[in-house]
Amino acid sequence: MRSGSGMRHKFVVGHHRIARNTWRSPIMKLAAALRQWNPNQPDIAALEPARLGLTADSDAEVLAQSLHNFATRLDAFVERERNFTRDASHELRSPLTIIKVATEVLVDDESLSTFARRSLTRIQRSVREMEALIESFLILARESDTGLPEEDFLANDVVREQVERFRDLIEDKPIELKLEERARFALHAPPRVFAVVIGNLIRNACLYTERGVICVIVEEACVSVSDTGCGMDAEDLERAFQPFYRGSRTGDQGHGIGLAIVRRIADRFDWPVELDSTRGHGTVARVRLPAAMPVDKALPQIG
């Protein structure tokens, strides 16, 4: 019995020694560093072999150096993308402002023909669409760069503003754009980010609806935008959130990037986005807000 007990004790001690040595192994050190590495705020130096105490020319050192090089290239790529998005957006603002002012002056010219006035209306609509797109790009660039200030705000106010903002997109179409506020709730987030998400969904509905009704509904912890537009088939639904994908929907509508922006922002803030659509019968886009708060709790002064 003593002999068996001694054998078990040696086995347990040996097992713990192996486990401890394994934990201290170079590969485990590297694995621990990768688990703690945050891609949203990458610390490239954390993957340096010397910082991890890895022996030169070891397999772990070679692997760590490869990961460090990859992380460095990835960080440089993200920085270039962010700078391009921000700089291009700023550069586009000036010519758009000139076009916008010029069209506003031309609108007052009573000598314009019906055709010219119709063309002018189309130019104005395109300018407003581009302004919304640029605003979205700036939001994405700033959010990934320095972050945006978060605050408590009434979601209903933002939704109401976005409905009015895009109402002129359907002014020459037989469409009713209506808002139903079945609930009120507050969010703690950057208000401009929420506005971009809701605005892009409303804009998308306006662009792909020729007649009927577009209904924006505020419910408990959820905002939905339904339309009676052309709708989407199964393939369109599967690829709807891909940048620049316009699928089988026809016409000169949009740039195919609105839903991609919505998905990118929604994923960042954990706001699940759902699409339900039938070809020829319209689409329902729904944003769920799990972190929604009662108004009287978040904003007692207006609750």
Side-chain angles (χ1 to χ4, degrees):
M1 292 296 291
R2 288 182 179 178
S3 177
S5 177
M7 289 290 291
R8 284 194 298 273
H9 175 71
K10 290 180 179 179
F11 174 79
V12 170
V13 171
H15 178 74
H16 283 305
R17 185 179 296 114
I18 293 173
R20 185 171 61 252
N21 291 337
T22 299
W23 173 251
R24 292 176 179 175
S25 72
I27 294 295
M28 294 305 295
K29 289 181 180 179
L30 180 57
L34 287 174
R35 278 196 299 270
Q36 298 173 3
W37 200 67
N38 182 1
N40 293 324
Q41 296 178 330
D43 179 10
I44 306 299
L47 298 179
E48 291 179 355
R51 183 168 173 177
L52 294 171
L54 301 180
T55 305
D57 299 326
S58 67
D59 291 342
E61 190 270 343
V62 173
L63 179 58
Q65 188 62 55
S66 297
L67 289 171
H68 178 268
N69 293 340
F70 174 75
T72 301
R73 292 196 301 271
L74 183 61
D75 186 61
F77 171 78
V78 172
E79 181 66 19
R80 287 195 300 271
E81 180 191 29
R82 184 164 54 235
N83 289 339
F84 172 79
T85 302
R86 181 175 55 248
D87 296 342
S89 299
H90 280 299
E91 290 298 321
L92 284 171
R93 277 185 162 181
S94 295
L96 273 179
T97 301
I98 294 173
I99 296 172
K100 185 177 180 180
V101 172
T103 55
E104 289 174 351
V105 172
L106 286 173
V107 165
D108 296 329
D109 187 350
E110 298 180 356
S111 65
L112 287 177
S113 65
T114 302
F115 175 78
R117 194 167 295 280
R118 196 161 48 238
S119 298
L120 186 60
T121 300
R122 188 177 180 184
I123 293 172
Q124 288 181 311
R125 184 183 302 122
S126 296
V127 168
R128 286 190 289 269
E129 291 175 22
M130 286 301 297
E131 284 180 327
L133 187 60
I134 289 173
E135 176 71 9
S136 299
F137 283 154
L138 287 173
I139 286 290
L140 291 175
R142 187 178 175 192
E143 194 282 322
S144 57
D145 188 5
T146 58
L148 288 166
E150 299 187 355
E151 61 183 80
D152 292 340
F153 64 93
L154 184 62
N156 299 61
D157 288 346
V158 174
V159 175
R160 198 177 304 116
E161 290 171 1
Q162 293 304 304
V163 168
E164 295 306 316
R165 179 182 182 185
F166 291 98
R167 194 174 291 280
D168 57 357
L169 283 181
I170 58 169
E171 60 185 7
D172 57 346
K173 297 180 181 180
I175 297 174
E176 178 187 6
L177 174 57
K178 61 181 183 179
L179 171 64
E180 295 183 9
E181 299 185 54
R182 302 176 182 175
R184 299 168 77 237
F185 62 86
L187 289 173
H188 182 76
R192 288 175 59 199
V193 169
F194 182 65
V196 165
V197 170
I198 301 303
N200 270 287
L201 292 180
I202 297 173
R203 173 179 170 273
N204 200 66
C206 292
L207 293 177
Y208 290 103
T209 303
E210 294 302 318
R211 59 179 53 83
V213 178
I214 297 174
C215 188
V216 182
I217 303 176
V218 181
E219 301 177 278
E220 289 291 344
C222 176
V223 178
S224 64
V225 180
S226 63
D227 64 62
T228 55
C230 57
M232 293 182 278
D233 56 25
E235 182 182 358
D236 289 338
L237 275 174
E238 186 176 348
R239 302 178 61 187
F241 292 105
Q242 295 179 7
F244 306 108
Y245 177 75
R246 294 173 63 178
S248 56
R249 292 175 290 184
T250 58
D252 184 23
Q253 301 117 324
H255 311 277
I257 197 171
L259 289 179
I261 291 173
V262 168
R263 170 56 61 85
R264 183 170 172 179
I265 294 177
D267 286 348
R268 163 66 179 82
F269 287 90
D270 296 322
W271 298 337
V273 180
E274 306 165 0
L275 287 180
D276 184 14
S277 187
T278 304
R279 167 65 64 189
H281 294 280
T283 302
V284 178
R286 186 174 290 106
V287 183
R288 300 193 182 278
L289 297 308
M293 302 175 290
V295 178
D296 56 356
K297 179 180 180 181
L299 303 166
Q301 70 275 17
I302 64 172

